[in-house]
Structures are given as C-alpha cells and as structure tokens.
Amino acid sequence: MELIFATNNAHKLAEVQAVLGNRFTLRTPRSCGITEEIPEEQPTLEGNALQKARYIHERTGCDCFADDTGLEVEALDGAPGVHSARYATDGHDFAANNRLLLHNLEGVENRRARFRTVIALILNGEEHLFEGVVEGHIIDRETGDEGFGYDPLFVPEGGVRTFAQMSTEEKNAVSHRARAVRRLVEYLHNLKK
Ligand code: ITT
C-alpha cells in the first residue's frame, strides 16, 4: 500500500518507515512536487495533523497522513505542547528550544513530561485520528546524539537513557509516534479482513 506522509521532517519519516517496514511505501510531499512548508496554524495537535493531511490531500487526491507532536511538561501547564517546534524561535531551532526548556525548568522539582502524537489519516476521502503517548521526565542537561528535537532531554518512564541515546528501533519500542503508527497500521489491517 502506498501513502503520502505529509511531513518535511526526515527524522520522523525514518522512524515511521521503520515501524511500517516494507508493507507500506511512504511517499514524501517533495516526491509529489510539493516543496513548500506545509501550514500548521491550529491551536491543537489534532487540528494541525488534520490541516497538514488535508493540505496534501487537496493537492494530490491521494491517501495520506500527517503527524503532529508536542512535548507536554506538567510543571509548565502542558507547554510547549502544540508550540513545540516554535518554542524559542520562529523556526525549528532544536538547540534553542532545549535551552529554553531547561531555563524554564531551572529549580523545578517536578520534571514529569510526556510526548503526544496525533496522526490524521485521509483514506478514500475519509478522515481518521490516532493518538500515541509516552510518559517520562526531563533531565537537566542534553544527553545523546541520536534522534531530534527534545530527544536529548527526555527519558521515557522506566528507563535511564534519553531518546537521543537510543537507536531508532529502541525509541520505536516505546515512543509516542510508534504507538500512534501502530494504531494506524492496526486500523488499516482490520479494513482488509
Ligand atoms: P512536520 O510538521 O513537517 O511533520 P515538524 O518538525 O514541524 O515536522 P511537529 O510540528 O509535529 O513536527 O513537531 C513539533 C516539534 O516537536 C518538533 O520540531 C520537535 O522539536 C518536537 N518533536 C516532535 N517529535 C519529536 C520526537 O519524537 N522527539 C523529540 N522531539 C520531537
């Protein structure tokens, strides 16, 4: 089965392709001639995931899905949340975002946080949402070189290493995104039965 994954984030693409294996062929917006940044202007992850998927569907007519993800920190009332990409600056400046997060958590004892992914699928013109969550905590300095975004600061529940100290396979065993993708796959498999 072929699906367009409405993302410009190469890290996400690699993670999702690793969960899907060779049962699904993922196409990128770029491979369909869509090179501009896909708009995400909604106040919720659900709204943004739908906006991104609709943007691609309207332009291609193809089955597609999008992922919107936020890091929700308990002591910061759920921030950066839907603003995770643009927490510190207008762009996707991972280092600046991480610095600001550490600054805002200085002296804060409660380090609990979670990643939440919402996937919006448009299949035969119908919209479906899937969610994946991983609980964990924020450590006090960046650790590890793998992954992207807030990975060097996030340790999933029950572990001692950050996502940035894990291989894609290890991150996918517990991550928010992999959980949402597995729900998507389960849905698609059940359709075929
Ligand atoms: P697309 O919209 O093109 O898919 P994006 O990078 O803008 O890519 P999101 O809006 O979903 O993706 O993600 C917002 C930010 O949250 C992202 O820029 C990262 O800083 C962070 N983020 C998302 N998923 C993450 C993950 O698995 N690990 C660490 N940080 C993540």
Side-chain angles (χ1 to χ4, degrees):
M1 180 173 191
E2 190 173 282
L3 288 168
I4 304 173
F5 182 16
T7 185
N8 291 314
N9 182 324
H11 297 280
K12 280 188 181 180
L13 185 67
E15 287 182 13
V16 171
Q17 187 69 73
V19 177
L20 295 177
N22 53 15
R23 295 167 292 181
F24 297 85
T25 305
L26 289 186
R27 294 196 62 189
T28 59
R30 188 169 288 276
S31 78
C32 307
I34 298 169
T35 53
E36 68 274 19
E37 197 164 330
I38 305 166
E40 39 184 319
E41 305 144 330
Q42 304 306 310
T44 61
L45 298 179
E46 288 77 5
N48 275 338
L50 280 168
Q51 185 177 15
K52 290 190 268 190
R54 285 173 187 158
Y55 188 89
I56 297 301
H57 186 254
E58 279 160 14
R59 281 156 185 78
T60 63
C62 297
D63 294 334
C64 62
F65 68 97
D67 146 338
D68 203 48
T69 296
L71 175 69
E72 300 173 343
V73 180
E74 194 174 272
L76 301 177
D77 295 328
V82 72
H83 306 295
S84 290
R86 295 173 183 80
Y87 191 36
T89 68
D90 257 3
H92 293 63
D93 186 338
F94 297 150
N97 287 341
N98 286 340
R99 275 197 304 276
L100 180 61
L101 179 61
L102 287 180
H103 174 75
N104 289 342
L105 285 176
E106 255 169 36
V108 175
E109 226 170 87
N110 175 8
R111 314 290 291 196
R112 285 173 62 171
R114 61 182 198 161
F115 274 115
R116 192 162 73 88
T117 290
V118 175
I119 288 179
L121 167 73
I122 305 184
L123 186 72
N124 301 322
E126 279 183 23
E127 298 175 346
H128 309 269
L129 294 177
F130 306 91
E131 189 187 59
V133 172
V134 60
E135 303 286 342
H137 69 273
I138 303 297
I139 58 170
D140 59 13
R141 55 187 283 256
E142 289 193 43
T143 308
D145 303 311
E146 305 299 323
F148 68 102
Y150 299 94
D151 281 346
L153 292 176
F154 184 86
V155 174
E157 207 165 49
V160 288
R161 289 178 302 151
T162 66
F163 271 160
Q165 292 174 292
M166 297 182 187
S167 64
T168 300
E169 212 174 51
E170 289 172 317
K171 181 178 172 185
N172 275 343
V174 293
S175 87
H176 45 303
R177 176 165 303 103
R179 284 178 175 157
V181 173
R182 283 195 279 270
R183 294 201 168 114
L184 162 76
V185 170
E186 197 179 292
Y187 174 78
L188 294 172
H189 277 172
N190 286 339
L191 281 182
K192 287 191 193 155
K193 282 181 190 162

